Amino acid sequence: MTRRVRRRTCREREGRVVRSLSRVGSAGVEDEEDAPAAVLDWKALPDDTMLQLFSRLNYRDRASMAAACRAWRALGSSPCLWSELDLRAHRCDREVASSLAERCGSLRRLRLRGHEAVEAVPGLRARGLREVVADGCRGLTDATLAVLAARHEDLERLQIGPDPLERISSDALRQVALCCSRLRRLRLSGLREGDAGAVGALARNCPLLEDVAFLDCGTIDEAALAGMHSLRFLSIAGCRSLKWATASTSWIQLPSLIAIDLSRTDVPTNAISRLISNSKTLKLICALNCISVEEELVQDPSVFRNTKGKLVLTVKSHIFKSIAAMFPGVDVKEQEVFNQCNWRHNDIAGDTMTWLEWILSQSLLRIAESNPQGMDEFWLQQGTALLLRLLKSSQEDVQERAATALATFVVMDDESANVDPARSEAVMLNGGIRILLDLARCSRESAQSEAAKAIANLSVNTKVAKAVADEGGITILTSLAKSMNRLVAEEAAGGLWNLSVGEDHKAAIAVSGGIKALVDLIYRWPAGTDGVLERAAGALANLAADDKCSLEVAKAGGVRALVTLARSCKLEGVLEQAARALANLAAHGDNNDNNAAVGQEAGALEALVQLTGSQNEGVRQEAAGALWNLSFDDRNREAIAAVGGVEALVSLVQQCLNGSEGLQERAAGALWGLSVSEANSIAIGQGGGVAPLLTLARSEVEDVHETAAGALWNLAFYSGNALRIVEEGGVPILVSICSTSGSKMARFMSALALAYMFDGRMDEVALVGTSSDSSSKSVNVEGARRIAFKHIETFVLTFSDPQMFSVAATSSAPAALSQVAEVVFIHEAGHLRCSGAEIGRFVAMLRNPSPILRACAAFALLQFTIPGGRHAVHHAGLLQKAGAGRVLRAAAAATTASIEAKIFARIVLRNLEHHQSGTST
């Protein structure tokens, strides 16, 4: 039942407080009793108030709001709203740039993603642009970068990375130097080269250049950097082709150099020592993950003891303590070294700390991505705390990069989605979950997506997932999943996917509206957006495994959404999760109508049958699993066959003999489900399904050979199939399962299959073979019968305890039979459902001359009628309709019957009495 929240707009009578607004018109305030409830006139709000509202909206909502009227359109184009623009989450091409151009006259700061977006920047006509930050620009060319520089001569800050600029050469650097004389900051990643001419051009033409970062570059002319006399901050992190003798000798000549980042390079300790000894202005050297330095420190921890007041940061040093030493005379707590209050009145320290935050976020992310050996101690003792402090930085890109690093450093294996438990729990224990959730709630969509990604990865750990849920993370992720920004919605859906693994979180996701949000995502994004669709379908698949949540998925339109994906999407990851979700929805046949609903959805069965032929094994496995679950419904079973399901699944089981265990189990299971029908069973046998099922029955994996045994049991009910099993060498295989399997169910079903095969009905067919031609194989039916009977008898006797059975045989006390029933009951057998024909066949076996078959039949009927079994009442009703009571009493009293057959028959009679008395009451 849902509550309807009513707005309290009506006034309370007789002097009570008025809760509605009175309208104010030209004639003044209307009479309170007669005035209708006022509606706020948004157009009457002051322009300053509206501008504040506009400034708090993302670009999409800002554009929608501006379209409401002319006044708002004018306000929405105000220069103060367009000084900064972040287009990373949006498609940006020449057409988009042209549409934005009229608003970008005052644009000063621009963030982009992709080389196509950089190519479109001139179309914005933002001649006064001061800063460009771009990522994902692997395809950027010299020509594009040169045009960008030529059209924006006032550029002061240019940052492109972290993807390598493999197509950018020294020619483009020279153009930047010639065109952008006001450049103060240049940060580029993955350049092929930076020769002396290009670096020298920067030194000559950019006299204000104070911050240079050439990250992970091919070759950089070390000596030419010494010509940049204005340079204060230098990073060459990740560069591997430097001549360190030249570099250290040249860089000590830089008159303004304050800090240098040598992280992830092969810098030797003597080069660092030379910088320490000879540079007059240098204050800070960062050398994280420098192998030669770390090896030297292991041998001699005092190698940098005499640093002349200069800080050297390595993974072996106490980073927080070292940074705190940058503020002499100020009482700085180690964990608060990144607090801006420490450098509020010191511009040099402030600039240094701002730079340090940036290079630390860069290096920690790169180290997390490469995941080198031997870093666990660093991450647990310092790295995690560093990243969490960087999450609170005032620099937006530092925050986002720190969140990305947190999402990355916990992952041990991308394929298996395993996370390091110690690292993920370190984030939790250091208060990281609340920090990340706070970042996810900020108004910046780029920060939202990175924070959601970190939360998603951390939530793979069950302890962290509980902390996320306890901190309100499910509600936050559900809200983010409704975002119109695809990247935000994608990462939020990933978080819900991982959280939905835990049974404790499924209900909370449903209560928060997460199921509806996930279903809406499938409809919102087109088929080509694989990330968001796969995560949404994966989360729904996990939720659908829960009985109550599966109803909510169906109620929210999830069945149709998932079938739409299965029918129209071409992306394998999406198809796999959609099929898995449909399989889980169909797994609750006894508790809700979802099984039938999936089968009745237009195109569902055809799509799943078609997916069994996918080139992707995961897709085939989940499609087969869905068909297995759906086949429990009678209408679905026949509908699957009608759309070619029998042929498709026989083909699948033939092809999966070398596939994964999961695929083999589900393929055999789907045939097991379809083979309940006589027509399907015969078609499977005639279509070549017996031989591959026998091959799977040889598997050492219990789940596989158990499922194959179930399918063979169903097939063996029909005489033609029984003979095929014998002809294909199936008797020794079933005998082996019956004798050696660790699964009681597998042994039980193989014994029942053997009983079907040799209860006499196959004999007539054996005289003419399984086909009209002469291709039938010659078999010794009698020899096979003797072997089968021997092992059926052995199987039944494994449940016999002579002392217990003797007591039950001589006692009339119900407790004695109850004790036997409890011992021999196979709990999994309670899930098996037999037809009237099958029950009738077991009743007929009770009259069979063979005492072994009589004992086997009584044992089977005991399993099917035990009170509490899922289908026990159904089976008891079938036995009563078949008049089995008289046959069972005769079997219990037969002098030629074994003690086991007698006891089992008595227990079945007791079961029938129990069910009959329950029905009558």
Side-chain angles (χ1 to χ4, degrees):
M1 180 177 180
T2 59
R3 297 180 182 177
R4 181 170 298 171
V5 180
R6 294 182 298 164
R7 297 184 184 276
R8 298 169 66 180
T9 57
C10 58
R11 295 177 302 279
E12 296 189 13
R13 299 179 181 177
E14 299 184 8
R16 285 185 255 177
V17 177
V18 177
R19 291 197 174 92
S20 65
L21 297 173
S22 298
R23 287 192 303 174
V24 180
S26 58
V29 180
E30 296 185 9
D31 180 72
E32 275 192 12
E33 292 301 321
D34 299 327
V39 177
L40 178 62
D41 186 359
W42 288 87
K43 291 187 291 185
L45 289 174
D47 288 353
D48 288 345
T49 303
M50 291 306 304
L51 285 173
Q52 287 293 322
L53 288 173
F54 269 108
S55 68
R56 283 164 170 75
L57 299 176
N58 59 42
Y59 307 117
R60 183 183 297 101
D61 293 341
R62 191 181 296 174
S64 298
M65 189 168 172
C69 64
R70 291 180 182 178
W72 286 7
R73 179 177 177 81
L75 285 173
S77 300
S78 298
C80 64
L81 296 175
W82 294 91
S83 61
E84 297 185 11
L85 193 57
D86 186 349
L87 296 174
R88 287 176 296 170
H90 310 277
R91 179 180 64 87
C92 182
D93 53 22
R94 289 183 173 87
E95 181 182 353
V96 172
S98 177
S99 68
L100 292 172
E102 66 179 42
R103 298 179 176 88
C104 294
S106 300
L107 186 63
R108 296 293 179 265
R109 185 168 184 259
L110 178 63
R111 303 192 73 174
L112 303 160
R113 175 163 292 148
H115 66 272
E116 300 91 346
V118 178
E119 293 171 359
V121 170
L124 294 172
R125 299 200 294 275
R127 304 289 295 186
L129 202 57
R130 300 290 192 273
E131 179 177 357
V132 173
V133 178
D135 59 42
C137 296
R138 188 183 295 268
L140 191 67
T141 63
D142 279 354
T144 301
L145 185 54
V147 170
L148 177 70
R151 297 286 185 89
H152 305 92
E153 297 178 352
D154 292 338
L155 266 183
E156 297 177 359
R157 295 174 293 278
L158 177 61
Q159 176 178 317
I160 307 177
D163 298 275
L165 301 173
E166 298 167 340
R167 303 174 66 182
I168 297 297
S169 68
S170 296
D171 294 337
L173 275 185
R174 275 189 284 271
Q175 290 298 317
V176 171
L178 291 171
C179 297
C180 303
S181 60
R182 299 183 183 182
L183 203 62
R184 292 178 175 272
R185 177 192 299 162
L186 179 64
R187 294 170 175 172
L188 303 174
S189 297
L191 290 175
R192 289 205 316 265
E193 59 174 352
D195 61 22
V199 177
L202 287 169
R204 290 189 303 273
N205 296 290
C206 302
L208 303 177
L209 190 59
E210 61 180 14
D211 182 345
V212 171
F214 292 127
L215 308 178
D216 301 290
C217 294
T219 58
I220 297 294
D221 192 282
E222 308 88 350
L225 286 170
M228 296 183 179
H229 298 299
S230 59
L231 192 61
R232 302 169 70 206
F233 303 103
L234 173 64
S235 175
I236 42 85
C239 296
R240 294 286 178 176
S241 301
L242 294 172
K243 300 172 184 175
W244 289 108
T246 303
S248 58
T249 302
S250 302
W251 297 344
I252 60 176
Q253 302 173 25
L254 290 167
S256 304
L257 188 64
I258 295 174
I260 186 169
D261 177 22
L262 311 175
S263 299
R264 302 182 292 110
T265 65
D266 55 359
V267 60
T269 54
N270 60 6
I272 296 178
S273 297
R274 191 176 295 116
L275 289 168
I276 292 172
S277 300
N278 298 302
S279 177
K280 297 179 180 180
T281 58
L282 191 62
K283 301 295 183 184
L284 173 63
I285 300 173
C286 189
L288 299 180
N289 195 217
C290 296
I291 304 302
S292 59
V293 172
E294 291 165 15
E295 290 175 350
E296 185 72 21
L297 285 171
V298 171
Q299 299 296 324
D300 182 9
S302 64
V303 66
F304 296 131
R305 178 171 296 173
N306 184 18
T307 59
K308 299 183 178 182
K310 298 177 175 65
L311 298 182
V312 180
L313 302 182
T314 72
V315 295
K316 300 295 184 182
S317 61
H318 196 308
I319 294 176
F320 285 104
K321 184 177 181 180
S322 299
I323 297 174
M326 291 178 60
F327 308 100
V330 180
D331 184 17
V332 178
K333 296 180 180 179
E334 290 183 12
Q335 297 300 316
E336 297 297 328
V337 293
F338 291 104
N339 191 324
Q340 291 186 10
C341 295
N342 298 323
W343 63 78
R344 182 166 42 195
H345 304 296
N346 187 331
D347 292 341
I348 294 177
D351 292 344
T352 303
M353 290 301 296
T354 299
W355 176 83
L356 180 59
E357 285 184 343
W358 189 84
I359 63 106
L360 283 175
S361 67
Q362 285 279 350
S363 290
L364 292 175
L365 175 56
R366 285 300 197 188
I367 294 169
E369 289 172 342
S370 60
N371 196 23
Q373 296 292 322
M375 292 293 290
D376 280 345
E377 182 180 356
F378 167 75
W379 285 123
L380 297 178
Q381 293 186 0
Q382 299 191 86
T384 301
L386 276 171
L387 289 174
L388 293 178
R389 296 305 173 272
L390 294 176
L391 281 179
K392 299 180 179 180
S393 170
S394 60
Q395 301 179 74
E396 295 176 1
D397 57 342
V398 169
Q399 285 185 331
E400 294 165 19
R401 205 171 291 113
T404 306
L406 284 170
T408 305
F409 94 111
V410 297
V411 178
M412 298 169 59
D413 182 4
D414 287 331
E415 293 296 326
S416 61
N418 288 330
V419 299
D420 186 288
R423 294 181 184 182
S424 55
E425 288 168 26
V427 176
M428 175 182 68
L429 295 173
N430 280 277
I433 302 305
R434 173 43 54 193
I435 298 173
L436 284 166
L437 290 173
D438 287 342
L439 185 60
R441 296 171 63 184
C442 78
S443 59
R444 298 194 329 271
E445 292 177 333
S446 55
Q448 291 173 354
S449 65
E450 297 304 328
K453 180 191 298 181
I455 294 166
N457 286 359
L458 289 163
S459 296
V460 174
N461 182 299
T462 55
K463 293 181 181 178
V464 178
K466 184 178 185 304
V468 170
D470 291 345
E471 292 278 2
I474 289 175
T475 301
I476 294 172
L477 289 172
T478 296
S479 177
L480 294 180
K482 300 173 184 178
S483 171
M484 295 302 294
N485 183 308
R486 181 179 62 82
L487 297 178
V488 174
E490 179 176 318
E491 300 302 344
L496 293 173
W497 187 4
N498 288 341
L499 284 167
S500 63
V501 172
E503 296 299 322
D504 295 338
H505 309 316
K506 289 182 169 67
I509 293 173
V511 169
S512 71
I515 291 176
K516 182 66 165 62
L518 291 165
V519 172
D520 289 344
L521 279 179
I522 295 176
Y523 287 117
R524 184 181 306 147
W525 300 106
T529 49
D530 57 332
V532 65
L533 295 178
E534 180 178 2
R535 287 164 173 77
L540 289 172
N542 288 347
L543 292 163
D546 177 82
D547 184 25
K548 293 181 179 178
C549 289
S550 72
L551 289 171
E552 293 298 320
V553 172
K555 183 180 178 181
V559 174
R560 177 163 297 177
L562 292 164
V563 170
T564 299
L565 289 181
R567 294 180 64 186
S568 60
C569 189
K570 304 300 181 185
L571 301 165
E572 292 175 344
V574 178
L575 290 172
E576 180 177 350
Q577 297 307 322
R580 185 169 73 91
L582 291 171
N584 287 348
L585 281 171
H588 307 282
D590 292 339
N591 301 321
N592 60 51
D593 297 328
N594 285 349
N595 190 306
V598 173
Q600 292 168 12
E601 185 64 37
L605 300 181
E606 293 92 331
L608 290 169
V609 168
Q610 186 174 2
L611 291 181
T612 62
S614 169
Q615 296 298 310
N616 181 278
E617 184 172 298
V619 175
R620 297 198 302 272
Q621 175 175 312
E622 298 303 340
L627 292 171
W628 184 5
N629 288 346
L630 288 164
S631 66
F632 283 88
D633 181 89
D634 294 340
R635 288 172 295 179
N636 287 343
R637 189 183 308 123
E638 302 311 316
I640 292 169
V643 296
V646 171
E647 295 79 5
L649 289 166
V650 168
S651 176
L652 178 61
V653 81
Q654 290 170 340
Q655 296 170 8
C656 76
L657 300 180
N658 295 318
S660 67
E661 297 165 5
L663 176 59
Q664 292 176 348
E665 179 192 6
R666 287 164 177 78
L671 286 179
W672 183 6
L674 290 182
S675 63
V676 170
S677 158
E678 178 179 0
N680 292 345
S681 182
I682 294 172
I684 292 168
Q686 292 176 345
V690 169
L693 284 170
L694 288 171
T695 301
L696 295 182
R698 293 193 188 99
S699 172
E700 296 181 358
V701 180
E702 284 187 8
D703 287 342
V704 175
H705 71 237
E706 178 183 302
T707 309
L712 291 167
W713 169 40
N714 276 1
L715 292 175
F717 186 84
Y718 302 99
S719 302
N721 288 338
L723 185 56
R724 285 189 181 87
I725 295 172
V726 176
E727 291 175 342
E728 295 289 346
V731 173
I733 296 171
L734 290 169
V735 161
S736 176
I737 297 174
C738 186
S739 306
T740 63
S741 174
S743 163
K744 288 183 180 181
M745 272 289 285
R747 291 162 55 206
F748 176 50
M749 291 187 295
S750 61
L752 297 187
L754 290 169
Y756 279 170
M757 291 159 60
F758 296 108
D759 66 352
R761 298 195 184 188
M762 186 184 68
D763 297 347
E764 183 177 343
V765 178
L767 295 176
V768 296
T770 57
S771 62
S772 57
D773 57 25
S774 58
S775 63
S776 296
K777 301 176 183 179
S778 176
V779 294
N780 182 354
V781 174
E782 284 304 316
R785 190 194 312 272
R786 287 193 297 271
I787 295 172
F789 279 11
K790 175 182 177 182
H791 287 86
I792 293 172
E793 181 180 26
T794 302
F795 166 73
V796 173
L797 290 176
T798 58
F799 292 86
S800 176
D801 181 325
Q803 183 177 358
M804 184 186 302
F805 275 61
S806 296
V807 172
T810 57
S811 172
S812 60
L817 291 180
S818 297
Q819 186 178 9
V820 173
E822 183 177 346
V823 170
V824 304
F825 181 46
I826 302 172
H827 292 276
E828 297 89 339
H831 297 282
L832 298 175
R833 181 183 176 94
C834 296
S835 66
E838 289 173 299
I839 293 295
R841 188 153 180 178
F842 287 119
V843 172
M845 280 189 202
L846 292 173
R847 303 191 188 96
N848 195 285
S850 168
I852 294 172
L853 285 180
R854 294 202 298 271
C856 181
F859 180 80
L861 292 174
L862 180 154
Q863 303 297 334
F864 298 146
T865 58
I866 284 282
R870 179 179 293 183
H871 304 293
V873 174
H874 164 73
H875 294 145
L878 294 177
L879 283 169
Q880 290 167 357
K881 288 180 181 179
R886 181 167 53 84
V887 180
L888 285 164
R889 284 189 288 273
T895 56
T896 57
S898 65
I899 187 172
E900 290 79 19
K902 294 178 180 179
I903 298 298
F904 295 155
R906 288 175 57 192
I907 293 173
V908 176
L909 285 168
R910 185 209 61 170
N911 292 344
L912 293 179
E913 291 172 0
H914 170 86
H915 294 302
Q916 189 172 12
S917 62
T919 303
S920 62
T921 56

